[in-house]
Amino acid sequence: MDVPEILSYQGLRARGLTRHDIVKLVDQGILLRLHQGIYTTTTYASDATIAIQNGARLGCLSGCRIHGLWVPRGPDTHIVYGTGKKPRQKPGTQIHRYGVPLPVAAVWPLRQCIEQVLLNHHHETALIILESAINRRLLRHSEAIEMLTNMPRKVQRIAPYVNGRAMSGSETRLRYFFERRGIRVAAQVLIPDVGWVDTVVGDSLIVECDSDAYHSSRESYANDRRRDLAARDQGYEPLRLSYQQIWHEWEATQLSLLRMIRAGKHRKP
């Protein structure tokens, strides 16, 4: 069975497992029940176990991932200490403090995980997490804006950019890049004879984001080229970016995007 180090009951069900399947895997020792609704594999120590053994709980970005949000990949486990607990740095972890008592569960509740991200990470990361929560119907737009009112001013500034239409953090990053420069962007647009596209920048630049796990089959490759040709027939300029370009080559990708904007690729009639 191929599952991440830790997964919620809902996450296991989303992968096609029935309640009977989960019980059977626990009985067989393949899954370990860490806490109510939280499971891990028994082949290696889980992130949650590491957090608990250090007097903390899994939270912040790691907690958001467990709760089903889109989270940028990173090498570190985020563990969060509550009041009265002394942080102990461990290799491969990012330590955060949060001024409330520890929860009983192995993972901080979703809203507290989101607040921890807003308090401890870059405002772009905060925007990605909020939009993912809205898009997956775990948070209303009004609730996200309300959460921002209690945050530092630099984080509050993302409020006008929150819309929740992005299907991934890659889409949010791209839209934020353009909107901060005053360029109009529409997310998840339906174009006749093309279908749904991730973003339309200005009037005519279509930017599509490949997912982290994207592997193009011959059929999907051919369909993407058909869609690109149909878009060009209607005057659009299609562009496809890989996860690598958006997350690991972002500086170079930004320069290329700016050159396209200066060339007016988004302003075709």
Side-chain angles (χ1 to χ4, degrees):
M1 177 187 177
D2 182 19
V3 299
E5 290 187 359
I6 180 170
L7 201 66
S8 67
Y9 176 79
Q10 291 80 4
L12 290 169
R13 291 299 300 270
R15 287 170 174 257
L17 296 178
T18 65
R19 180 177 178 276
H20 175 75
D21 291 334
I22 295 170
V23 171
K24 185 177 180 180
L25 289 169
V26 171
D27 290 341
Q28 293 173 342
I30 297 173
L31 281 179
L32 174 66
R33 184 174 177 270
L34 281 174
H35 194 271
Q36 183 176 356
I38 301 294
Y39 298 83
T40 185
T41 58
T42 54
T43 53
Y44 43 77
S46 72
D47 292 346
T49 302
I50 293 171
I52 291 170
Q53 289 174 345
N54 285 276
R57 296 291 185 269
L58 204 63
C60 199
L61 288 173
S62 295
C64 286
R65 181 179 289 110
I66 297 305
H67 286 296
L69 303 191
W70 196 102
V71 177
R73 287 201 310 172
D76 293 334
T77 300
H78 295 251
I79 64 176
V80 182
Y81 288 81
T83 53
K85 297 292 182 179
K86 183 178 180 180
R88 289 178 287 175
Q89 186 68 51
K90 297 283 288 185
T93 64
Q94 284 195 36
I95 303 296
H96 306 295
R97 302 195 71 163
Y98 192 61
V100 301
L102 285 175
V104 175
V107 183
W108 287 88
L110 173 61
R111 292 206 179 200
Q112 292 181 327
C113 288
I114 294 174
E115 286 183 359
Q116 292 156 8
V117 173
L118 300 184
L119 289 168
N120 294 296
H121 290 276
H122 189 269
H123 51 82
E124 182 193 70
T125 304
L127 178 62
I128 287 169
I129 294 301
L130 286 174
E131 290 212 329
S132 180
I134 297 169
N135 182 264
R136 301 185 183 193
R137 301 184 184 278
L138 298 173
L139 198 68
R140 290 193 294 268
H141 182 273
S142 59
E143 293 172 324
I145 300 303
E146 184 179 354
M147 290 180 73
L148 286 172
T149 61
N150 299 316
M151 293 295 129
R153 182 168 297 181
K154 65 179 180 179
V155 182
Q156 291 182 17
R157 290 172 182 164
I158 67 173
Y161 300 99
V162 177
N163 70 27
R165 289 182 60 82
M167 303 293 288
S168 71
S170 299
E171 294 177 35
T172 297
R173 167 170 267 198
L174 280 166
R175 198 194 75 246
Y176 189 47
F177 168 81
F178 289 114
E179 288 184 338
R180 280 187 299 140
R181 289 161 175 79
I183 300 168
R184 175 171 48 85
V185 181
Q188 293 300 317
V189 180
L190 180 61
I191 299 176
D193 299 323
V194 177
W196 290 97
V197 299
D198 294 337
T199 54
V200 175
V201 182
D203 300 315
S204 54
L205 177 60
I206 295 174
V207 185
E208 298 267 48
C209 311
D210 288 345
S211 68
D212 184 12
Y214 183 82
H215 297 285
S216 180
S217 66
R218 180 176 297 180
E219 182 180 349
S220 61
Y221 181 90
N223 185 55
D224 287 343
R225 297 315 176 270
R226 180 199 64 76
R227 282 161 45 90
D228 288 349
L229 189 60
R232 288 184 184 279
D233 286 344
Q234 298 181 57
Y236 291 98
E237 180 77 22
L239 172 67
R240 295 184 180 275
L241 295 177
S242 67
Y243 184 94
Q244 178 82 10
Q245 289 173 307
I246 297 170
W247 292 101
H248 303 304
E249 301 169 3
W250 184 228
E251 293 298 325
T253 301
Q254 290 180 85
L255 293 175
S256 295
L257 292 173
L258 287 173
R259 283 193 288 269
M260 296 188 75
I261 293 302
R262 295 188 187 111
K265 298 293 186 180
H266 63 308
R267 291 177 176 170
K268 287 186 177 181

